[in-house]
Amino acid sequence: PAAPADALAAAIAGDWRDPANVARDTARHPAETLAFFGIEPDQTVVEITPGGGWYTEILAPYLRDGGQYVGAIWADGVSEYYDKTNAKLREKVAATPAAYDQAEWRAFDPKSPQFGPAGSADAVLTFRNVHNWVNSDAGEAYFKAFFDVLKPGGTLGVVEHRAKPDTDLETMKKSGYLTEALVIELAEKAGFELVEKSEANANPDDTADHPNGVWTLPPGNRHDEADAAKYQAIGESDRMTLRFRKPEA
């Protein structure tokens, strides 16, 4: 079998990927990010709310033959927005069975999240979601559910928009940016240990204080047309990349 790095490179180079998603590799650094999280092709990996399937395009084929990709999606009927998102994702997956036919989809109730049998996953990954849970005061419930589904020694990988240190909670909720301290606190409260931080998804040009929060920047682009060049020049948000571990005992 191919070495993990080669297999990952092959998945990232896959012709099934949406060209618009490929164009964002320079902002999202999938090779560095997944290598930092230690994702191996024989693991069971749960991705929390994959949205449009940006990382699904890479992870599902990468894990297809030796591991298991699990996409944790909101149960149908909870939110019209998520119902539409889920329908689009199912359509995308059905169109390319060679890449996605072994992927598993687990629906969960956002009010009491559970992501599968206890101790069944090698890794849980979440990309730019934590601000949503903090906004709905659900952060603790989600991190506890991540802890429960992971095997002892398992990895929690978090990528999130990064606020300046000491930003207050209300500003975080409005802006979509969170402090590293808050994310680490949520994880440690659930029982995780912080293993390492990576700057793979850092963007020093992002001041994290835009009029429409993180959604001002690409890909949200919620700004006046006159400011388009300014925000394109900044690019996507500054992001923390944190690797946590569920202790062995």
Side-chain angles (χ1 to χ4, degrees):
D6 296 341
L8 182 55
I12 291 167
D15 62 5
W16 55 85
R17 292 188 66 206
D18 180 335
N21 288 346
V22 174
R24 298 179 67 194
D25 286 358
T26 51
R28 292 197 165 176
H29 312 99
E32 299 91 325
T33 301
L34 295 174
F36 172 72
F37 291 148
I39 304 305
E40 304 278 349
D42 61 352
Q43 291 180 331
T44 295
V45 178
V46 181
E47 184 188 1
I48 310 300
T49 56
W54 197 94
Y55 261 102
T56 309
E57 289 183 352
I58 297 166
L59 286 165
Y62 176 62
L63 299 165
R64 180 178 180 270
D65 296 330
Q68 181 64 58
Y69 171 80
V70 178
I73 56 175
W74 276 38
D76 289 332
V78 178
S79 143
E80 194 180 334
Y81 171 80
Y82 276 103
D83 284 356
K84 282 183 184 159
T85 304
N86 290 349
K88 268 192 181 158
L89 188 58
R90 288 186 180 113
E91 202 176 297
K92 172 196 193 87
V93 164
T96 317
Y100 307 120
D101 60 352
Q102 299 301 311
E104 185 188 332
W105 305 97
R106 283 185 196 155
F108 70 92
D109 174 358
K111 290 195 172 60
S112 56
Q114 279 186 307
F115 301 112
S120 63
D122 296 292
V124 169
L125 302 180
T126 170
F127 301 97
R128 304 167 319 283
N129 292 314
V130 185
H131 60 280
N132 293 321
W133 309 326
V134 167
N135 230 348
S136 56
D137 299 319
E140 286 187 25
Y142 274 85
F143 278 82
K144 182 184 183 307
F146 305 156
F147 193 85
D148 291 345
V149 77
L150 280 168
K151 296 172 183 174
T155 294
L156 169 63
V158 179
V159 176
E160 181 54 270
H161 311 298
R162 179 163 51 191
K164 299 290 180 236
D166 303 321
T167 301
D168 67 272
L169 185 61
E170 280 316 300
T171 303
M172 288 195 255
K173 285 185 170 184
K174 283 197 193 91
S175 70
Y177 289 92
L178 303 180
T179 60
E180 282 189 5
L182 177 69
V183 177
I184 292 167
E185 183 189 342
L186 281 167
E188 289 180 343
K189 201 177 244 185
F192 288 102
E193 299 166 346
L194 177 65
V195 177
E196 202 180 344
K197 302 177 182 184
S198 164
E199 291 299 304
N201 296 295
N203 178 359
D205 294 334
D206 177 16
T207 53
D209 59 355
H210 313 295
N212 291 312
V214 73
W215 304 281
T216 313
L217 296 178
N221 296 313
R222 288 188 205 163
H223 51 66
D224 294 340
E225 194 49 49
D227 294 327
K230 176 171 97 170
Y231 292 116
Q232 284 307 123
I234 294 170
E236 294 196 23
S237 66
D238 177 49
R239 294 166 188 161
M240 65 185 92
T241 305
L242 307 176
R243 179 174 176 169
F244 297 96
R245 183 174 171 277
K246 177 175 177 171
E248 293 282 354

